[in-house]
Amino acid sequence: MKNQSNMKPTRLTDSFGRVIQDLRISVTDRCNFRCFYCMPKEAMEWQPKAEILSYEEIIRLTEVFVELGITKLRVTGGEPMLRRDLETLIARLGALDQVEDLAMTTNANFLSGRAKGLREAGLKRITISLDSLTPDRFALLTGRKNFSEVLAGIDAAIEAGLSPVKVNCVVIRHINEDQVINFAEFAREKGVHVRFIEFMPLDNGKVWRRDMVVPGDELREMIHQRYPLDRVQSGNASETARRWRFADGTPGEIGFINPVTQPFCGHCSRIRLTADGMIRTCLFSAVEHNIKALLRSGASRDELIGFIVATVNQKEDRHHINDPEFIQPLRTMSCIGG
Ligand code: SF4
């Protein structure tokens, strides 16, 4: 599989010197939940199937990315487990040389019967999106009554040996910050890593306002008062979460992903491939790069390499959420995949 062409850099670096090692692959824009800050309740217009990358195309592109130095892969959606035979894709991604890490983000609704199979296919770790620990609030936030399925999915992931099991909770003022201590207790009880994410302006309804953001530091203080926390120094500068463990030694971890109040763009190592074949160099990119068209035009490996290198060179320095001129991207979280 090795391509000796002299065009190929040994690793992907953007114009700010950041090394790009993480590729997030969205395999579908569809989802079975309707989280109010992500998807409108009414019918969504999904991408036509022909526009969605086939597994063959995803593998072909990922091989080139990996050859260029990508070592960490994350499968996302929409809800990735809606895509048929996902285990087949996971197995092929996991088999790629140099892939050191293979993770997935899911709402866990379909996980309880498939966690073991995904683990056996090569999935290493999993992140579950969950914004409430009470069935009623869950139904309010997601527009669905699948709370027990999600909890069963989390237990199945733990049992299957996916590790760590992370639970991502988007905290929104006056919506769910009252459940933060419950989530801390959930982390202690299950030994999972709960991460609280500041609400970002990527919502479909364009309802985001700054006063809806609950700063991570505020949440940390709330938890620390009840369960003292010690900082975890991971040494991984590109990590998005600020990590804390329980000072009393109880298993589980608490993390804070604070893109609004404490941006971490300076060490960003991520790029994204959307389900319809666009490269997004930043979560908040205003422009996208159509690698699907190139791929479907019969491009050679060198042409794909050249396109990716040139695209990464255009990676934005940071998001501009805190700047007056900030414009929310057209593409919403459900079509990016986080
Ligand atoms: S906002 Fe963009 S540059 Fe900043 S960390 Fe996220 S993807 Fe990277």
Side-chain angles (χ1 to χ4, degrees), residues 110-262:
F110 306 106
L111 199 50
S112 65
R114 295 170 62 187
K116 193 160 169 287
L118 287 163
R119 178 81 185 88
E120 284 162 1
L123 191 67
K124 292 208 166 56
R125 57 195 182 91
I126 200 155
T127 301
I128 288 141
S129 308
L130 178 63
D131 303 326
S132 168
L133 282 173
T134 53
D136 301 349
R137 189 83 56 85
F138 178 91
L140 201 66
L141 294 179
T142 63
R144 298 287 184 269
K145 293 196 170 79
N146 305 57
F147 182 61
S148 56
E149 285 89 337
V150 172
L151 290 189
I154 294 173
D155 288 340
I158 296 167
E159 211 172 299
L162 291 162
S163 178
V165 171
K166 298 182 179 178
V167 174
N168 278 3
C169 172
V170 175
V171 181
I172 303 176
R173 181 80 71 193
H174 309 310
I175 301 283
N176 60 345
E177 84 265 32
D178 61 322
Q179 302 210 348
V180 162
I181 298 298
N182 306 72
F183 272 99
E185 285 162 356
F186 188 76
R188 293 167 66 86
E189 182 201 329
K190 302 277 180 185
V192 296
H193 295 195
V194 169
R195 289 113 53 91
F196 299 104
I197 306 180
E198 290 177 344
F199 184 34
M200 289 181 275
L202 280 169
D203 56 310
N204 205 295
K206 306 251 179 316
V207 296
W208 186 89
R209 292 191 322 275
R210 175 163 289 285
D211 61 4
M212 299 170 84
V213 175
V214 184
D217 278 356
E218 183 182 324
L219 300 176
R220 180 169 54 74
E221 197 45 40
M222 278 164 77
I223 296 170
H224 188 64
Q225 293 304 321
R226 178 76 70 81
Y227 301 106
L229 299 171
D230 287 337
R231 186 70 195 260
V232 176
Q233 300 295 355
S234 74
N236 171 3
S238 71
E239 194 157 39
T240 55
R242 292 161 181 256
R243 296 167 54 194
W244 300 76
R245 68 168 72 85
F246 294 106
D248 64 4
T250 303
E253 239 187 58
I254 300 288
F256 302 94
I257 301 177
N258 307 333
V260 180
T261 60
Q262 292 163 327

Side-chain angles (χ1 to χ4, degrees), residues 18 264-265 268-270 272 281-284 315-319:
R18 295 173 297 189
F264 35 81
C265 304
C268 183
S269 61
R270 291 166 292 283
R272 294 166 171 86
T281 47
C282 169
L283 195 51
F284 292 92
K315 180 174 168 68
E316 300 82 346
D317 59 338
R318 60 183 177 83
H319 67 60

